[in-house]
Amino acid sequence: MLQNKGFRFFSITTVCIWLGVFALLPNMALFLVSFLDRTDTSFFIPVLTLDNYLRLFAPAFIRILLKSLALACVSTLTCLILGYPFAYLLARSNRRVRPWLFLLVIIPFWTNSLVRTYAIFTILQNNGVLNTLFNRLGLVEGNFSLMYTNFSVFMGLTYTLLPFMILPLYASIEKLNLRLLEAAKDLGAGPVRSFLHVTLPLTLPGIAAGSILVFLPSLSLFYVPEILGGINYRLLGSFIQYNFSKGANWPVGAAASTVLTLLLLLMAVFYRLAGRNEREGGAAALSAPGGQTAPARVERG
Amino acid sequence: MGLERLNPAGTAPGEKQVESRGGPILEMRGVSKNYGSTIALHDVNLHVANGEFLTLLGPSGCGKTTILRLFSGFETPTRGELLLNGQVINDIVPEKRKLNTVFQNYALFPHMTVRENVAFGLRMQKRPKDEINRRVREALHMVHLENLADRRPAQLSGGQQQRVAIARAVINNPLVLLLDEPFSALDFKLRKQMQFEIKHLQRQLGITFVFVTHDQEEAFAMSDRVVVMNEGYIEQIGTPKEIYEEPESLFVARFVGEINILEGVILEVQENNSYLAEVEGVVFPLRTRREFARGEKVRVLLRPEDIKIYHAHEVSAPSRFLQGRINESVYKGATVDVSITLDNGTKIQSAEFFNEDDADISYNAGERVSVSWVAGWEVVLDHAAE
């Protein structure tokens, strides 16, 4: 018992210190820096200012923010549309096939993501795989390149983040009780309506989790837009990265980073609200003793 | 294999009487179902009369749930035809069949309220809103759940969830209601109460019920007819009384209660279905509808409550009784259960009811007794029958 207590104290303290030093402290520092001024010679000086946030209202940054949000939305939606059927297949496939399908999702994880991003580069570039293929098929004459466009960045984000959509979706579809789908059929719902009325609402937590896991990184991944979008292509993530490196404007980078964190918090709240429907039932039944005695009375009566 | 097995539907004596209420609403013609190399159903023929309460009874894996799932359309038969109201429904998808199911463990939609669960079928039929509201109210009233309409299934007790499942199914006015072991998750007392309520509901609605259970008591308490199944075959179809009192096979006899099985040989064929036979070494008169020849080996089946026990001093001609010793006598309240070992080693189980006229039904272990049975209540089966 005592030993157990000691272990608990030790492990929880370690985690707390770890998170404090490597997550909380840097974030606090970042938050602080976002309110500080800078000079040409030092990254920041201890002068409080709101200038950094005001600079984020500049049309240039607004454009970057909107473009980032739009690309993140499109990537998330594409991942959802591609990922849902695959996750469904994965969850419903028989035991022999399932590990192989899983492997298809997991292999990319074992490959360095920079390497994978360069792979897309070789596919989309001038005289690349796609170009050659289209030429061979006679669809297109001559050379073309899809690189350094919104499309190439979108491809990179979607490809990189697809597994993060598939795995939570798989988890929630796999949990779905098949009897419920039979019940829907039994009550006259065809395939489309039993999907809309039963499968979709019951896998909503998976959809929400997957969407967040794709949406946030697609805002903040900086190497994908840099490699596939080109040196001057800016998304929120690469904007932050630029300000901390070449741009050498820490306070503005910190302010943009804080905006990103706020977006994350907003989505976390949204996720909790979406998941509430599921939990409400069980929680209310547990917390309301009246809810338990009333039924008993009905049964006796 | 008994003759009855080959023609199971035709020989049930109760069928005529029940079918006079109307033609078969559900029918299986020569239906087989294989899962890979395992055969779940062997060439089953079954008629379900309109308005009856039919129970499929058997141990797990006997094929009773398969029959239900074939009717509801979640399984397709390997061979044979399924008919609903005279029409072949083999190729009709589940959502288009005028049948509804009460699932084992209910399968209520957890993200919907009780009201939304019950309204689901009508919404799928795209009924007008006020008709849905009215019918949902009526259905909830019928199962006494009006004041829980806005709860989620997780906030209800097992019995209440059961009622929601029933309301959700019957609101669609199905031609037949299929119930798949609906009480298996309920405790004993609630189960008894739900049995009563379901039976009452069935009479009130006049809908045909096909009920699946492995509990013979439940089957007897609720059904007009019982179909006893074993390993994909129908063993016997009949009223609960017929199944209990005139089992057509050893399996049925054993499955629907305790039974004593005695070995015998026909000595003499008499008139009016009467025989003289040597049973466990003693000569007894037997009566049976079945035909036997002289010298044929038979089995005599006796329910414990049909056994009569006499103290040694009550019997004047002991040679006309089976002789044995009391093993044990257990007081059960309404009955005294007595186990006896006959002198040739055969064990007999008896259940004696308390009777004003015969107060002396207490026996001491080891006491010598004479045993016979209520004449004419024996069931005589071919020795070869399983």
Side-chain angles (χ1 to χ4, degrees):
Chain A
M1 200 61 203
L2 199 69
Q3 212 177 2
N4 198 356
K5 224 171 170 179
F7 174 74
R8 243 171 56 185
F9 178 79
F10 174 76
S11 56
I12 290 174
T13 312
T14 312
V15 171
C16 283
I17 291 173
W18 180 275
L19 285 175
V21 171
F22 294 105
L24 188 64
L25 221 59
N27 271 298
M28 299 273 284
L30 201 69
F31 189 65
L32 185 69
V33 168
S34 76
F35 290 102
L36 296 182
D37 212 342
R38 67 177 269 274
T39 66
D40 286 340
T41 48
S42 50
F43 289 126
F44 53 87
I45 52 170
V47 176
L48 285 176
T49 174
L50 282 174
D51 233 32
N52 305 315
Y53 286 96
L54 291 176
R55 284 181 65 177
L56 295 185
F57 285 101
F61 181 77
I62 298 284
R63 226 176 297 128
I64 288 174
L65 184 66
L66 289 180
K67 190 157 96 176
S68 304
L69 288 173
L71 255 177
C73 281
V74 174
S75 309
T76 307
L77 210 67
T78 309
C79 281
L80 184 61
I81 290 166
L82 293 176
Y84 202 100
F86 188 81
Y88 200 91
L89 195 73
L90 199 59
R92 296 281 170 266
S93 58
N94 68 42
R95 277 170 209 299
R96 265 187 333 175
V97 182
R98 197 182 292 187
W100 295 102
L101 291 178
F102 251 118
L103 208 64
L104 289 180
V105 184
I106 288 173
I107 282 179
F109 271 122
W110 295 340
T111 319
N112 183 293
S113 53
L114 271 175
V115 172
R116 281 187 290 140
T117 309
Y118 276 110
I120 290 187
F121 180 93
T122 64
I123 291 172
L124 296 181
Q125 70 180 327
N126 195 344
N127 255 327
V129 176
L130 209 62
N131 195 172
T132 315
L133 186 74
F134 273 47
N135 282 343
R136 289 269 164 82
L137 289 173
L139 292 170
V140 176
E141 289 280 327
N143 291 351
F144 67 90
S145 167
L146 292 169
M147 279 305 297
Y148 311 123
T149 60
N150 285 332
F151 178 76
S152 60
V153 177
F154 156 79
M155 274 288 289
L157 291 175
T158 308
Y159 170 66
T160 309
L161 298 170
L162 188 58
F164 294 95
M165 179 63 89
I166 290 175
L167 293 177
L169 279 176
Y170 164 78
S172 77
I173 295 170
E174 213 266 332
K175 258 195 338 208
L176 186 71
N177 182 356
L178 287 179
R179 287 280 175 276
L180 294 178
L181 298 181
E182 287 186 351
K185 265 193 200 172
D186 189 77
L187 294 165
V192 174
R193 285 200 289 175
S194 66
F195 178 77
L196 290 178
H197 290 286
V198 180
T199 311
L200 201 59
L202 288 175
T203 52
L204 211 55
I207 293 173
S211 297
I212 287 176
L213 286 180
V214 172
F215 189 79
L216 284 176
S218 47
L219 283 180
S220 57
L221 274 182
F222 59 85
Y223 57 86
V224 172
E226 188 156 321
I227 296 168
L228 298 176
I231 205 80
N232 289 316
Y233 192 97
R234 293 268 178 278
L235 289 182
L236 192 50
S238 47
F239 176 83
I240 295 168
Q241 193 253 355
Y242 174 80
N243 275 298
F244 276 98
S245 56
K246 292 183 207 111
N249 193 337
W250 284 23
V252 166
S257 179
T258 306
V259 169
L260 189 61
T261 309
L262 281 177
L263 272 173
L264 179 144
L265 285 175
L266 213 70
M267 260 180 290
V269 169
F270 167 77
Y271 178 65
R272 275 198 73 82
L273 288 178
R276 193 138 131 209
N277 280 352
E278 287 311 293
R279 289 190 299 272
E280 215 168 38
L286 285 177
S287 63
Q292 294 294 3
T293 50
R297 208 183 313 128
V298 171
E299 249 146 45
R300 267 182 245 119
Chain B
M1 192 189 293
L3 188 68
E4 287 74 28
R5 253 193 186 167
L6 297 174
N7 187 8
T11 52
E15 191 145 287
K16 281 268 149 20
Q17 169 209 335
V18 179
E19 281 205 347
S20 63
R21 281 207 230 162
I25 186 91
L26 262 186
E27 208 179 327
M28 269 191 169
R29 287 187 190 157
V31 169
S32 299
K33 175 68 186 172
N34 307 350
Y35 295 100
S37 58
T38 30
I39 303 170
L41 284 182
H42 299 263
D43 192 25
V44 166
N45 292 296
L46 181 66
H47 296 244
V48 184
N50 198 1
E52 80 170 319
F53 195 124
L54 183 96
T55 297
L56 304 170
L57 174 69
S60 64
C62 72
K64 57 194 194 300
T65 297
T66 304
I67 288 188
L68 217 59
R69 291 176 64 80
L70 284 166
F71 278 140
S72 57
F74 301 132
E75 305 284 354
T76 48
T78 310
R79 260 188 310 283
E81 282 184 330
L82 301 157
L83 292 91
L84 174 63
N85 216 3
Q87 278 185 308
V88 177
I89 54 166
N90 284 38
D91 296 329
I92 296 180
V93 290
E95 56 265 33
K96 297 266 166 63
R97 298 187 186 186
K98 285 283 294 169
L99 298 163
N100 284 113
T101 308
V102 174
F103 290 86
Q104 196 173 9
N105 302 321
Y106 326 131
L108 298 177
F109 303 123
H111 58 299
M112 297 182 197
T113 61
V114 168
R115 192 194 307 281
E116 288 164 345
N117 264 286
V118 175
F120 192 87
L122 297 181
R123 270 176 69 204
M124 292 302 115
Q125 292 174 35
K126 300 215 166 80
R127 293 278 168 188
K129 263 224 165 72
D130 38 321
E131 184 197 334
I132 295 180
N133 289 339
R134 180 178 52 80
R135 283 171 69 179
V136 168
R137 230 184 358 260
E138 286 168 7
L140 288 175
H141 176 75
M142 182 182 70
V143 295
H144 319 297
L145 285 176
E146 301 103 312
N147 37 13
L148 299 178
D150 296 311
R151 297 264 184 106
R152 293 279 170 91
Q155 293 166 275
L156 302 180
S157 70
Q160 289 165 344
Q161 291 184 27
Q162 170 78 84
R163 291 203 182 95
V164 177
I166 292 164
R168 184 178 72 169
V170 298
I171 197 172
N172 306 293
N173 288 328
L175 292 172
V176 179
L177 187 69
L178 308 169
L179 301 102
D180 186 8
E181 306 224 15
F183 306 143
S184 57
L186 303 180
D187 64 47
F188 180 76
K189 257 185 126 169
L190 198 52
R191 180 183 276 241
K192 290 273 164 209
Q193 192 196 331
M194 287 305 299
Q195 284 174 13
F196 177 79
E197 279 186 28
I198 289 237
K199 183 69 204 160
H200 182 77
L201 194 68
Q202 193 257 344
R203 289 211 182 105
Q204 187 189 331
L205 295 171
I207 298 177
T208 310
F209 277 34
V210 177
F211 187 95
V212 161
T213 184
H214 60 264
D215 181 338
Q216 53 99 3
E217 219 177 299
E218 194 165 281
F220 286 176
M222 303 179 75
S223 321
D224 296 319
R225 287 195 304 155
V226 176
V227 178
V228 185
M229 297 195 58
N230 183 31
E231 291 177 350
Y233 290 97
I234 291 182
E235 289 277 342
Q236 189 173 355
I237 304 179
T239 62
K241 193 169 147 71
E242 286 162 356
I243 299 281
Y244 190 74
E245 293 181 2
E246 294 162 46
E248 286 170 358
S249 66
L250 277 183
F251 174 82
V252 175
R254 284 202 189 104
F255 193 75
V256 299
E258 278 202 73
I259 193 92
N260 294 299
I261 300 164
L262 304 179
E263 304 287 334
V265 182
I266 299 288
L267 296 178
E268 199 180 310
V269 181
Q270 299 173 331
E271 283 178 14
N272 296 329
N273 302 330
S274 296
Y275 299 88
L276 264 184
E278 190 188 292
V279 179
E280 302 289 338
V282 180
V283 179
F284 281 96
L286 297 180
R287 286 178 66 87
T288 174
R289 294 186 283 111
R290 291 188 174 75
E291 301 271 332
F292 294 104
R294 200 174 151 214
E296 208 170 333
K297 285 174 94 180
V298 293
R299 285 197 169 113
V300 178
L301 274 48
L302 293 160
R303 294 285 172 202
E305 57 273 24
D306 299 340
I307 301 281
K308 291 170 86 174
I309 309 172
Y310 302 93
H311 294 284
H313 62 84
E314 292 176 313
V315 174
S316 52
S319 63
R320 289 169 55 194
F321 292 85
L322 301 170
Q323 298 297 320
R325 274 180 201 284
I326 300 287
N327 272 338
E328 168 176 57
S329 155
V330 181
Y331 176 78
K332 283 273 186 75
T335 59
V336 172
D337 289 2
V338 183
S339 80
I340 302 154
T341 306
L342 298 184
D343 291 347
N344 66 3
T346 307
K347 288 211 161 65
I348 288 187
Q349 199 63 37
S350 150
E352 297 220 320
F353 288 87
F354 287 103
N355 185 339
E356 298 272 322
D357 309 326
D358 183 17
D360 187 17
I361 57 169
S362 60
Y363 305 94
N364 301 319
E367 182 184 342
R368 283 204 68 82
V369 286
S370 295
V371 179
S372 75
W373 61 85
V374 185
W377 287 25
E378 67 277 6
V379 170
V380 187
L381 291 183
D382 191 325
H383 193 277
E386 282 284 310

